Amino acid sequence: MDGRTTVRYLQDYIKRKDYHPELLKDYFLKLSEEVGELSRAMRKGAKAENAQEIKGTIDEEVWDVIYYAIAIANLYDIDLEQVIKVKAEMNQSRYPSSVIFEENR
């Protein structure tokens, strides 16, 4: 394993693990809850000292926010890799930058 994880893999992993269209509102509520927990961890400056001690830290809460955002994308059958590309192009035209999004990276 090279240590890289693609957005497509994350979507597939989360869809296999946690796909319940009937719970859409619950997924959104969990996302909102996790954003609050992230805010609390940020206020405390709670950063994990190592990968095994992430409980209640910014590290853990960022992942929880990503997890539920991806779970919601899955319920709407959104291809996040495609959306990222399109949105990067939109943002580049609105907010030009010398940093260009590169596909397949």
Side-chain angles (χ1 to χ4, degrees):
M1 188 156 134
D2 64 5
R4 297 178 193 182
T5 303
T6 66
V7 173
R8 184 161 325 285
Y9 172 78
L10 286 176
Q11 279 200 260
D12 291 343
Y13 165 75
I14 292 169
K15 192 169 196 174
R16 286 191 322 268
K17 179 181 171 80
D18 192 0
Y19 184 80
H20 303 281
E22 71 280 7
L23 299 177
L24 174 62
K25 290 179 184 176
D26 296 295
Y27 283 109
F28 180 74
L29 290 173
K30 274 301 286 178
L31 174 61
S32 299
E33 179 182 326
E34 296 301 343
V35 168
E37 291 176 9
L38 173 59
S39 174
R40 185 177 321 111
M42 289 173 64
R43 266 196 339 265
K44 292 179 180 178
K47 178 93 174 68
E49 294 195 22
N50 63 58
Q52 285 67 45
E53 296 179 9
I54 66 167
K55 188 74 178 149
T57 65
I58 296 167
D59 311 58
E60 178 186 25
E61 303 310 338
V62 165
W63 165 244
D64 289 345
V65 168
I66 292 168
Y67 181 98
Y68 283 103
I70 291 173
I72 290 168
N74 284 342
L75 295 182
Y76 284 100
D77 199 29
I78 294 169
D79 178 345
L80 284 173
E81 287 191 346
Q82 183 61 33
V83 169
I84 290 166
K85 176 187 166 200
V86 170
K87 187 61 177 165
E89 291 170 359
M90 289 170 59
N91 287 347
Q92 181 65 20
S93 67
R94 288 185 193 158
Y95 315 104
S97 170
S98 61
V99 179
I100 305 297
F101 179 78
E102 298 176 46
E103 287 187 75
N104 303 314
R105 305 280 301 185

